């Protein structure tokens, strides 16, 4: 059933070619635009307040990624979220480095609080930091960081009425309706910068066509990353093969490869 | 005759290695610098007012691309155009997203108005938006967007004493002397972000050695994109193969492939 | 003996995975992050004053690259250097375009003066410009730019108590203890934008584990670039193959290839 949902979401992206507005970090702007194009969406990297009202009126979703944030960009991000809300558009938050500095933790929380239709995509430590103390049900007794991250994600789901995607060796999609695990991917993927940012951008494309859990993007990127890594002798090749595999991705590949628990 | 002109322009770029100053968007800075290097030019990505006077005194051309513009960058762009004018250097304007927001439309027009030696490179909708109502000779009766874009380009040529390159499935080069069509390229090219921006950057390299119509860059990128796409299974490969093909490009390839009408 | 030092430094980077904070130019942020990942380090591209105190408290090194500097970024760079000093962390300065504008020359000198534990990595003309008149022992009589650059580097070593890496056809590592020459590399490397910036970033990774001369990074990138270029038909392939070769790099490759004089 879930496989079918993912396939339908992919078809919708390829047919509707939704415009995804990205306020993202300088490091990954090129990659994430290319990943959005390869899956069939229409990326725009725009951040100016002077045009954000117009942009969000015809965009399908907003992706906010704080990877290279500063005090010039944070007000732009806040303003973009407000415009997304006014247009009832989903917001994907990528809280890059949340927990590594107070600035990142606080900015992430402000964006999470402000967005009405929210999906959060981060790694375990970012999700744990975003939830903070209130998200630590088991505190230091959690068996591993995955367990602690799922606890934190559950807290975030309740606190912000959002969905949460935790990416890692196993990806977790945490929603009001429960927990899904994805066991695709490859150990070489973390050697390409911004792989998580790519997932957040793709999540925006699927959110724009109504897929609000983050599952479709995580499933597809996991499968595609796995295929690309198998073809690659290193992270340089992986980055290229990933875009090719996204472009060629089809239903059969998903059905053959998907490890959804 | 036109083929010979293109070949001479290519030789001039490779011999003179002109310095091309780019105020461009964050998404394509890496690609466009690499494309300029691959064709034999010397790119510099610089935007600071504190050094633009010096930069334009020894640069061969200025490329202004508004892809990620904001109110910090627009005065920098205006200042750079002024320095280009003072040094009698050509300016290539890439009005990315012109028409998608008032900010982009107005900024594009201000730059077009300000530049003394101007080449505009955009897609059909950007060129139509840049020209505005006055450029719509046939209004909604135009048979297709290409025809409307050529009308708009003709208006721009008269209004700004410029040359206009409209890129798309067919590329059009519109000058005071008429219209040239280029039928190279490949359907996979729009799946790589910033392919048009690459064309604008290359146009700057050729303008720096005196090729003021934009034809040489459009012809070469069309041929090179076609070759690269034939070698590629997706847009990841295409981006790489395009740089390799630019680097290897020679007269024989141009003569064999060029579809110039 | 030097080969063994390089191998130990590589092992240390792969084991310790040092965090390298980069305030670098927009053009190369993606490449340099990927190069740092491929060698085994942990890159972070961060520039905000609001988090730099925290960042430098747990980072291993700071890389400052002025490639796209402006008056918003220069105070951020100065502040980051101060934080590096407070934490006794090494600073790698890449004075991109030093000499091409007063802004670049003066900013480079201010950073060089401010940093307590400094490595400078530039090409011959940048090193000569950074040293200025005082670094011109032989003035216009220098036999070639390499000789003038080594003179300039020697001046910088004395003036700033730093190490200097001059990259070019032959790389020179100039320290208090003398001069080392590296004769690896390939003529195709300058056709990829930011190859020098990649060297500066890698220098930061090695500095973070105590390799303060810059030799290890220059040796490894020279060898890896040579291997990658031999596999490549142009600069597009080279960029990709370089990351793969960095990822696969091992002791045997170094021993076989290194041309250290």
């Amino acid at each position: 059933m879930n496989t079918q949902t993912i396939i339908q979401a992919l078809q919708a992206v390829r047919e509707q070619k939704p415009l995804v507005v990205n306020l993202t970090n300088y490091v990954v702007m090129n990659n994430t635009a290319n990943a959005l194009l390869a899956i069939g969406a229409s990326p725009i990297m725009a951040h100016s307040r002077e045009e954000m009202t117009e942009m969000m009126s015809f965009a399908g979703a907003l992706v906010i990624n704080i990877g290279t944030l500063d005090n010039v960009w944070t007000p732009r991000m806040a303003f973009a979220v407000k415009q997304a809300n006014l247009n009832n558009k989903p917001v994907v938050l990528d809280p890059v480095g949340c927990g590594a500095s107070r600035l990142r933790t606080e900015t992430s929380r402000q964006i999470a609080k402000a967005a009405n239709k929210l999906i959060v995509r981060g790694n375990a430590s970012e999700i744990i930091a975003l939830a903070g103390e209130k998200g630590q049900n088991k505190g230091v007794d959690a068996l591993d960081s995955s367990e602690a991250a799922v606890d934190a994600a559950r807290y975030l789901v309740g606190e912000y009425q959002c969905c949460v995607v935790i990416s890692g060796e196993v990806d977790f999609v945490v929603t009001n309706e429960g927990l899904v695990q994805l066991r695709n991917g490859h150990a070489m993927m973390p050697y390409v910068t911004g792989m998580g940012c790519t997932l957040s951008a793709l999540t925006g494309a699927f959110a724009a066509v109504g897929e609000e859990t983050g599952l479709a993007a995580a499933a597809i990127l996991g499968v595609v990353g796995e295929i690309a890594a198998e073809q690659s002798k290193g992270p340089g090749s992986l980055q290229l093969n990933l875009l090719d595999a996204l472009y060629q991705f089809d239903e059969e590949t998903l059905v053959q490869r998907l490890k959804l628990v």
Side-chain angles (χ1 to χ4, degrees), chain A:
Chain A
M1 196 180 74
N2 268 314
T3 310
Q4 205 48 45
T5 313
I6 296 166
I7 289 164
Q8 282 167 5
L10 177 62
Q11 286 171 341
V13 166
R14 288 189 174 157
E15 282 166 27
Q16 298 174 36
K17 299 185 181 306
L19 186 74
V20 182
V21 173
N22 297 264
L23 276 82
T24 190
N25 70 73
Y26 301 121
V27 185
V28 304
M29 285 190 182
N30 189 268
N31 302 45
T32 53
N34 274 325
L36 285 166
L37 284 170
I39 202 68
S42 300
I44 187 158
M45 274 52 193
H47 58 268
S48 181
R49 286 175 71 132
E50 283 76 14
E51 63 180 359
M52 200 47 69
T53 303
E54 290 159 273
M55 289 286 168
M56 286 316 304
S57 73
F58 50 76
L62 174 67
V63 177
I64 303 278
N65 176 311
I66 65 160
T68 52
L69 87 173
D70 59 42
N71 59 17
V72 181
W73 277 71
T74 46
R76 292 169 176 166
M77 292 172 176
F79 185 78
V81 170
K82 198 176 283 183
Q83 302 311 310
N85 287 343
L86 287 171
N87 290 281
N88 199 30
K89 299 292 167 62
V91 175
V92 178
L93 168 64
D94 189 330
V96 181
C98 186
S101 72
R102 277 187 304 265
L103 175 69
R104 287 171 191 252
T105 308
E106 283 165 20
T107 304
S108 300
R109 286 180 188 161
Q110 283 161 11
I111 294 166
K113 193 174 175 185
N116 287 347
K117 295 177 71 175
L118 178 68
I119 305 176
V120 180
R121 202 292 316 164
N123 62 31
S125 71
E126 291 160 351
I127 296 301
I128 291 169
L130 182 60
E133 286 186 12
K134 292 178 187 168
Q136 294 174 21
N137 286 345
K138 301 177 187 170
V140 291
D141 297 329
L143 286 179
D144 61 21
S145 70
S146 292
E147 196 176 335
V150 170
D151 280 346
R154 286 195 174 114
Y155 167 78
L156 294 172
V157 168
E159 181 71 8
Y160 299 117
Q161 286 81 53
C162 65
C163 297
V164 177
V165 178
I166 309 163
S167 52
E169 207 181 312
V170 177
D171 294 335
F172 298 93
V173 179
V174 186
T175 68
N176 247 328
E177 299 182 8
L179 175 73
V180 176
Q181 292 182 39
L182 291 161
R183 295 181 171 272
N184 291 98
H186 191 283
M188 203 194 280
M189 291 172 75
Y191 286 88
V192 178
T193 194
M195 198 55 86
C197 307
T198 295
L199 178 49
S200 300
L202 294 178
T203 301
F206 288 100
V209 298
E211 206 286 284
E212 291 175 11
T213 70
L215 175 65
I220 291 171
L221 191 66
V223 168
V224 156
E226 200 174 284
I227 294 168
E230 288 167 11
Q231 298 166 344
S232 301
K233 55 186 176 157
S237 307
L238 176 50
Q239 194 168 14
L240 173 158
N241 287 326
L242 184 88
L243 292 172
D244 286 359
L246 271 175
Y247 179 77
Q248 297 175 328
F249 190 76
D250 58 17
E251 181 173 343
E252 204 184 321
T253 310
L254 186 73
V255 172
Q256 281 172 358
R257 291 268 188 166
L258 188 66
K259 294 178 195 155
L260 192 149
V261 184

